[in-house]
Amino acid sequence: MNHKAGFVNIIGNPNVGKSTLMNAFVGEKLSIITSKAQTTRHRILGIVNGDDFQMVLSDTPGIIKPAYELQESMMGFVKSAFEDADVLIYMVEIGEKDLKDEAFFKKITHSKIPVLLLLNKIDKSDQKQLEDQVQTWTEKVPNAEIYPVSALEGFNVKEIFNRIIELLPESPPFYPKDQLTDKPERFFINETIREKILMHYKKEIPYAVEVDTEEFFEEDHIIRIRSVIMVERETQKGIIIGHKGSALKRVGVEARKDLEKFFGKQIHIELYVKVNKNWRSNQNQLKRFGYNN
């Protein structure tokens, strides 16, 4: 039997639905999803296996103009997505007119590999607006196949998935057939906690936070976790903890519930907050947290 395998990399501006699409393809919540921009910081692989195919999906940070070292690293993950892709998914949303980085846009329009341009969030548009948008993007990216999609509602997701399989090159699998992602357990613990912080805190707080899981002990019926939430300033530490620890407790309770679903086991989680000054601009700290590798 012929076997297909390849890397399918998803790029686009912040908040266009890249993570929602990948999670829909994989059938698991691998990428965190919030209404805030820059939710995804890393390049996260989700692996979908069939008898005769392996699709290695890659969710990437939204394309922005970097303002500090962490964002430079995030855009490095996006650049790498061009280098190993067998199929490139360029995701836009209704009403969007261009990519925020002209150099990335040129790479897409001059790509030698198949490009699928997905026009997402069509559930928020009418037929006239959709037709206008399809026409606009057909002119801007003539080398792309254009598909209207609602990643959240599941519209056209299966059709696009099947089209990707058609485009994959013949190849043996790159990863074991029972593997779901390239990230370790601690990564998903960190991301789940960070998602709750993005949901419940405002302004700069979520962007000044990194999470480090220092202890992960798995027993037969329970997983014991100790994680540290890093902030850049003492004032941020107080905000994360909240009055009598109430805000931090809410993060812990919500993260525990999600992690129990993810791991299928009871979770005991302890959260602490530490100040790690200017970690977003510190190369050594960024490397420690998995950036700039």
Side-chain angles (χ1 to χ4, degrees):
M1 183 186 293
N2 292 332
H3 189 278
K4 291 184 162 192
F7 289 83
V8 181
N9 300 342
I10 309 168
I11 65 166
N13 285 337
N15 260 22
V16 295
K18 299 182 296 297
S19 298
T20 304
L21 181 74
M22 188 174 88
N23 290 343
F25 281 157
V26 176
E28 293 279 352
K29 187 178 177 185
L30 295 183
S31 292
I32 63 175
I33 301 165
T34 77
S35 59
K36 291 186 171 73
Q38 299 173 45
T39 298
T40 302
R41 284 179 176 172
H42 294 263
R43 184 178 174 190
I44 303 166
L45 297 190
I47 304 163
V48 186
N49 291 293
D51 291 337
D52 58 353
F53 74 89
Q54 182 177 83
M55 187 187 298
V56 185
L57 292 148
S58 178
D59 185 17
T60 60
I63 295 170
I64 54 173
K65 290 186 177 176
Y68 44 83
E69 289 290 335
L70 171 61
Q71 292 182 340
E72 292 278 2
S73 176
M74 288 161 61
M75 291 308 96
F77 290 131
V78 179
K79 287 175 185 173
S80 72
F82 283 95
E83 293 165 8
D84 59 14
D86 295 296
V87 178
L88 191 66
I89 293 179
Y90 173 32
M91 203 158 185
V92 300
E93 65 177 311
I94 288 289
E96 198 175 335
K97 294 193 171 73
D98 51 34
L99 199 61
K100 291 181 179 174
D101 188 303
E102 191 64 32
F104 280 126
F105 193 73
K106 282 184 180 175
K107 282 189 175 184
I108 294 165
T109 55
H110 292 84
S111 173
K112 303 295 185 201
I113 61 169
V115 177
L116 304 185
L117 190 150
L118 306 189
L119 186 53
N120 193 29
K121 305 184 184 179
I122 62 165
D123 48 300
K124 297 182 178 179
S125 71
D126 56 34
Q127 189 63 29
K128 175 68 168 66
Q129 187 182 21
L130 177 57
E131 289 172 2
D132 290 346
Q133 288 276 284
V134 169
Q135 180 62 33
T136 297
W137 286 109
T138 300
E139 293 169 3
K140 287 194 171 202
V141 194
N143 58 314
E145 296 179 27
I146 297 179
Y147 293 88
V149 62
S150 172
L152 189 62
E153 302 293 334
F155 176 77
N156 244 358
V157 169
K158 189 174 182 182
E159 290 76 6
I160 294 159
F161 185 87
N162 291 336
R163 179 58 181 145
I164 293 169
I165 292 174
E166 290 175 2
L167 293 170
L168 291 178
E170 287 196 6
S171 167
F174 294 97
Y175 295 91
K177 282 283 197 166
D178 59 352
Q179 191 168 335
L180 180 67
T181 181
D182 65 326
K183 299 295 185 189
E185 288 98 338
R186 292 183 191 219
F187 175 83
F188 294 103
I189 295 165
N190 298 344
E191 288 291 271
T192 300
I193 295 165
R194 197 167 64 83
E195 179 186 54
K196 305 312 171 192
I197 292 167
L198 277 156
M199 288 168 61
H200 292 302
Y201 297 87
K202 297 177 181 177
K203 298 181 180 176
E204 180 66 9
I205 294 292
Y207 303 105
V209 162
E210 185 59 69
V211 182
D212 184 28
T213 294
E214 295 184 337
E215 293 180 4
F216 178 91
F217 296 117
E218 186 166 5
E219 301 170 16
D220 287 343
H221 303 292
I222 190 169
I223 299 173
R224 302 183 188 279
I225 295 165
R226 182 182 189 276
S227 299
V228 176
I229 298 168
M230 305 280 187
V231 293
E232 291 192 313
R233 298 192 298 274
E234 284 290 342
T235 52
Q236 294 166 347
K237 179 178 177 180
I239 293 168
I240 290 285
I241 293 170
H243 181 61
K244 295 184 177 178
S246 58
L248 184 63
K249 183 178 180 181
R250 178 173 62 179
V251 168
V253 168
E254 293 186 9
R256 176 180 57 77
K257 288 177 181 176
D258 279 9
L259 291 169
E260 285 181 340
K261 289 179 188 172
F262 187 81
F263 289 106
K265 281 189 177 183
Q266 184 182 343
I267 299 286
H268 175 76
I269 187 166
E270 293 179 19
L271 294 180
Y272 299 86
V273 186
K274 288 183 181 178
V275 176
N276 187 344
K277 288 187 179 178
N278 300 320
W279 68 265
R280 287 183 293 177
S281 300
N282 185 311
Q283 290 284 356
N284 289 332
Q285 292 297 324
L286 289 171
K287 193 166 186 179
R288 174 189 165 194
F289 294 136
Y291 306 100
N292 292 354
N293 285 348

